[in-house]
């Protein structure tokens, strides 16, 4: 189609460009015109309705499989940080067993290494709380399909910096002084950082700097063509997830 070359050109231009080492709040906000925000919001609503409508058979199938695979609710609502540091309930298909909190407490009490890993990352790479179906959903990112409901509610956008846990948000803000600039836009289901390999755990300061770099580049350089290009690139990442995705 005519749109695909245009989207690819937008991404190539973005990748070859660079942002200032210390972008100012005014320069980032200047990239977000009222007309641009309205256009993005309209695109979010249309795209989310299409995904939820056309993908309703898959959505319902996954909901049934989650319910049948283990006891507990179909959805899991986790508090995340959105635009302007406002908290919201981020929806996902449930991927853990119902007694996950009890299991986690017992594990951390018995294993100091696991406790150190969880205190550092707030998650475990080999987590016995995750159901077999949950492992597949996480690896494929299908557990995040309910977030299109968040988009319709206005908590999120289809494309934008990924929303982080409250604990991670405080930790990352201390480690990277430009981190708070991410809060100038709504968080997204996918983003420029994710399609450039920044997905999964943040294991070192360099990982955090790379994510912030791509997130700020998105905030400063947003366009409709860019969003469409990132959506198409996300499909490839879903089918070929990086090793850090778990």
């Amino acid at each position: 189609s005519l749109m695909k070359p245009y989207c690819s050109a937008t991404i190539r231009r973005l990748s070859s460009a660079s942002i200032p080492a210390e972008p100012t709040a005014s320069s980032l906000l200047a990239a977000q015109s009222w007309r641009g925000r309205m256009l993005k919001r309209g695109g979010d609503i249309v795209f989310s309705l299409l995904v939820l409508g056309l993908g309703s058979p898959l959505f319902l199938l996954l909901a049934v499989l989650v319910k049948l695979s283990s006891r507990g609710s179909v959805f899991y609502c986790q508090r995340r940080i959105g635009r302007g540091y406002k908290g919201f309930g981020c929806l996902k298909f449930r991927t853990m067993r119902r007694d996950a909190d009890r299991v986690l407490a017992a594990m951390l009490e018995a294993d100091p290494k696991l406790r150190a890993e969880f205190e550092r990352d707030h998650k475990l790479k080999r987590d016995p709380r995750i159901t077999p179906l949950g492992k597949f959903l996480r690896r494929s990112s299908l557990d995040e399909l309910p977030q299109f409901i968040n988009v319709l509610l206005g908590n999120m956008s289809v494309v934008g910096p990924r929303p982080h846990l409250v604990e991670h948000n405080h930790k990352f803000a201390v480690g990277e002084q430009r981190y708070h600039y991410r809060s100038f836009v709504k968080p997204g289901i996918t983003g420029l950082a994710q399609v450039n390999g920044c997905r999964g755990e943040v294991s070192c300061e360099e990982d955090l700097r790379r994510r912030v770099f791509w997130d700020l580049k998105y905030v400063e350089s947003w366009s409709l063509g860019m969003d469409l290009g990132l959506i198409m690139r996300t499909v490839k990442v879903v089918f070929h997830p990086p090793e850090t995705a778990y």
Side-chain angles (χ1 to χ4, degrees):
S1 66
L2 293 176
M3 183 59 72
K4 188 171 183 178
Y6 171 74
C7 295
S8 299
T10 301
I11 298 298
R12 285 197 300 270
R13 184 175 69 253
L14 179 64
S15 299
S16 63
S18 62
I19 59 174
E22 295 294 338
T24 63
S26 59
S27 71
L28 295 177
L29 289 171
Q32 305 172 45
S33 66
W34 177 85
R35 182 178 298 177
R37 290 197 301 270
M38 293 296 292
L39 181 64
K40 184 173 176 63
R41 179 57 182 157
D44 282 342
I45 293 173
V46 171
F47 189 79
S48 296
L49 288 174
L50 285 174
V51 170
L52 292 174
L54 297 177
S56 56
L58 174 61
F59 198 96
L60 292 173
L61 174 62
L62 292 177
V64 171
L65 290 177
V66 169
K67 192 65 178 178
L68 294 178
S69 64
S70 61
R71 299 177 63 183
S73 62
V74 170
F75 299 112
Y76 175 66
C77 185
Q78 190 174 49
R79 185 171 176 78
R80 298 287 178 113
I81 300 299
R83 183 177 184 179
Y85 280 93
K86 293 181 179 179
F88 71 97
C90 187
L91 293 172
K92 290 187 175 187
F93 281 122
R94 181 178 57 82
T95 58
M96 289 188 175
R97 46 194 289 181
R98 189 172 64 173
D99 59 348
D101 290 339
R102 181 185 61 79
V103 172
L104 176 64
M107 288 171 48
L108 300 186
E109 179 69 24
D111 194 327
K113 289 184 178 180
L114 286 180
R115 183 167 63 250
E117 178 185 349
F118 188 80
E119 289 176 351
R120 182 186 69 244
D121 301 330
H122 295 280
K123 59 183 178 180
L124 300 172
K125 192 164 187 176
R126 291 180 174 83
D127 197 331
R129 299 174 299 164
I130 301 175
T131 66
L133 176 63
K135 291 179 181 179
F136 166 74
L137 293 177
R138 289 188 172 204
R139 185 72 176 167
S140 63
S141 296
L142 289 173
D143 63 320
E144 296 175 358
L145 272 180
Q147 288 169 28
F148 283 103
I149 298 175
N150 283 117
V151 175
L152 290 178
L153 293 174
N155 305 133
M156 297 178 65
S157 181
V158 175
V159 182
R162 284 294 296 162
H164 290 152
L165 292 168
V166 176
E167 298 86 353
H168 283 177
N169 220 62
H170 296 324
K171 175 183 176 182
F172 295 161
V174 172
E176 173 55 64
Q177 61 181 353
R178 301 172 301 165
Y179 181 82
H180 69 279
Y181 289 149
R182 300 170 78 256
S183 68
F184 291 164
V185 298
K186 289 181 182 179
I189 296 176
T190 186
L192 186 57
Q194 283 63 49
V195 301
N196 280 286
C198 301
R199 182 183 168 199
E201 63 181 316
V202 177
S203 58
C204 62
E205 290 186 7
E206 181 58 29
D207 287 346
L208 178 57
R209 283 195 293 269
R210 287 184 65 234
R211 291 195 184 208
V212 172
F213 172 83
W214 289 116
D215 285 342
L216 296 190
K217 184 165 284 202
Y218 175 81
V219 174
E220 190 173 56
S221 308
W222 174 85
S223 70
L224 181 59
M226 178 182 171
D227 274 7
L228 293 173
L230 290 173
I231 289 171
M232 287 189 288
R233 288 182 65 184
T234 297
V235 175
K236 180 180 178 180
V237 173
V238 167
F239 285 106
H240 301 283
E243 291 300 319
T244 55
Y246 60 87

